[in-house]
Amino acid sequence: MRILALTLDLDDTLWPVLPALERADHAVDAWLQQHHPDVARAWPVTAMRELRMKVAIERPDLAHDFSTQRQLTLQHAFASCGIATAPVDVLWEIYFAARNSVELYPDSLPALMHLTARWPLASLTNGNADLERVGIHRHFHHHISARNTGAAKPDPRIFLAAAECLGVAPENILHIGDDVELDVVGARDAGMRTAWINRHGATWPADLGNAPDLDVPDMTALVEWLERQPPTT
Ligand SMILES: [Mg+2]
């Protein structure tokens, strides 16, 4: 396997995303309780999440754009309380700051430092993490997101957009991620090599076809494997 570049998933690969999303929803709720108690009463955290899922179902054209989904959700919530103009910008900033206050897995930063030194590296995500806010922006040479590409994993188009950006053929790119379908199957179908960050020791689902090229428990094991690969130049 000749690997010339890497693409790397973010949420649940470099940090656990659920705690950050949980904090973000509650930060928005706390602001609403203080400034718009009627909206907070009508749309507590659980109801707001259900509303967002409804928006997602009604707007399949926004499947690649979680940010706009959330902004529309807020507009719906305020409109239902008779407020035509929701303070979307204020609430978005509160949400986005909390959403990016992630806690990296302990192996992530040391691994990133190794990877960046040796390989062209692109982030590749369906989510809306902001790597400058997270503080790891400088470790990536390129940033590929579903929102900017117009297609979300596992659609091959987002992987091919990354390959084009890196200037490397898909078969010479290793995609690294935690999700069996979005990352492993998606990248495999786009012709890439695949590394599954399998932090919970799951068994590869046989119905998904060929197992990933690499199945490792964390980013440290990934780096150890990559450093055993022969130099490419
Ligand atoms: Mg992920």
Side-chain angles (χ1 to χ4, degrees):
M1 194 188 317
R2 189 159 177 260
I3 295 164
L4 300 179
L6 310 174
T7 53
L8 179 60
D9 174 53
L10 301 173
D11 291 326
D12 289 331
T13 293
L14 295 182
W15 56 75
V17 72
L18 274 182
L21 295 180
E22 188 79 17
R23 276 196 301 275
D25 281 344
H26 285 279
V28 167
D29 186 59
W31 190 90
L32 288 176
Q33 286 187 34
Q34 194 177 353
H35 298 277
H36 288 277
D38 291 351
V39 179
R41 257 192 305 279
W43 298 100
V45 169
T46 311
M48 194 73 94
R49 282 181 190 154
E50 285 166 4
L51 179 61
R52 189 170 63 81
M53 281 185 247
K54 189 162 166 274
V55 168
I57 291 165
E58 285 172 358
R59 294 292 304 270
D61 56 312
L62 295 176
H64 62 286
D65 190 347
F66 294 152
S67 302
T68 304
Q69 281 182 13
R70 284 191 178 275
Q71 289 162 1
L72 278 179
T73 302
L74 290 170
Q75 281 164 359
H76 280 300
F78 274 77
S80 78
C81 295
I83 302 170
T85 310
V88 169
D89 290 347
V90 174
L91 283 166
W92 178 251
E93 178 54 35
I94 291 167
Y95 174 83
F96 205 51
R99 188 262 185 265
N100 286 295
S101 298
V102 297
E103 192 173 333
L104 297 179
Y105 290 117
D107 49 287
S108 294
L109 195 54
L112 275 176
M113 290 164 81
H114 278 279
L115 297 180
T116 316
R118 184 167 164 195
W119 312 87
L121 177 63
S123 61
L124 201 164
T125 181
N126 283 358
N128 50 17
D130 180 328
L131 292 182
E132 286 197 50
R133 292 194 190 218
V134 174
I136 56 171
H137 184 267
R138 67 192 172 88
H139 294 291
F140 294 86
H141 303 99
H142 303 281
H143 303 276
I144 313 295
S145 71
R147 188 172 195 217
N148 292 339
T149 309
K153 294 183 288 185
D155 189 319
R157 285 176 296 171
I158 189 171
F159 294 97
L160 297 177
E164 192 175 328
C165 191
L166 286 158
V168 174
E171 64 264 31
N172 295 125
I173 296 175
L174 180 70
H175 177 68
I176 304 151
D178 69 290
D179 193 288
V180 291
E181 296 196 42
L182 301 183
D183 291 304
V184 179
V185 173
R188 186 184 69 200
D189 288 352
M192 289 184 179
R193 309 273 72 82
T194 55
W196 183 24
I197 304 297
N198 179 12
R199 292 184 182 273
H200 306 294
T203 303
W204 176 253
D207 59 329
L208 291 183
N210 288 345
D213 296 298
L214 189 64
D215 174 348
V216 287
D218 56 27
M219 294 293 290
T220 305
L222 172 88
V223 168
E224 285 168 2
W225 182 85
L226 272 172
E227 295 203 334
R228 289 197 297 273
Q229 302 305 299
T232 51
T233 52

